[in-house]
Amino acid sequence: MAKQTYSISDLAQELDVTTRTIRFYEEQGMLTPQRRGQERIYSPKDRVALKLILRGKRLGLSLAECKTLIELYDPQTGNQKQLNIMLGMIAERRAQLEQQLLDIQQMQLELDTAEERCRTALAESASKTTAAE
């Protein structure tokens, strides 16, 4: 049985990305297709790597973090190390998001306070103008 391979357009269509995006990840050393003349031939491992990159991006991981995960991918020996490292990355990203959420909530409180002060100052200014007339 022939090994499954994919063209760049196959992967682009399946994963809803542009061929330019795929070539970018190739330039970054994250995908390593074989060449047949000018044609790129992607393996199942390249397909999994691309899926990992796209998932990592959705989770807010950097390209370096995605590259680390890809380098750890080894379907022959199992992927426990990869999964454990990914769990660590997820925990770190979650902590970053929780801090950002706290920062946003604090900023909202400061905006509420500033808005209230502005409204109070405007109301006082309007009542002084009315009283002077």
Side-chain angles (χ1 to χ4, degrees), residues 16-65:
D16 195 28
V17 294
T18 65
T19 55
R20 181 176 168 87
T21 297
I22 294 171
R23 285 191 298 271
F24 172 77
Y25 295 133
E26 184 181 334
E27 289 166 10
Q28 300 302 308
M30 301 171 84
L31 301 173
T32 54
Q34 294 181 354
R35 298 283 187 146
R36 187 183 310 138
Q38 292 285 64
E39 186 181 9
R40 292 169 166 89
I41 309 294
Y42 294 89
S43 69
K45 184 175 180 176
D46 289 318
R47 182 176 169 271
V48 169
L50 184 54
K51 288 174 83 170
L52 280 172
I53 294 165
L54 298 174
R55 183 177 301 132
K57 283 185 61 180
R58 284 192 306 273
L59 295 174
L61 301 180
S62 69
L63 278 183
E65 289 170 320

Side-chain angles (χ1 to χ4, degrees), residues 6 8-9 53 66 68 73 77 79 88-89 111 114 116 120 126 128:
Y6 307 89
I8 193 168
S9 56
I53 294 165
C66 292
T68 297
Y73 176 72
T77 61
N79 55 355
M89 290 177 179
L111 288 170
E116 186 56 37
T120 300
K128 286 180 186 174

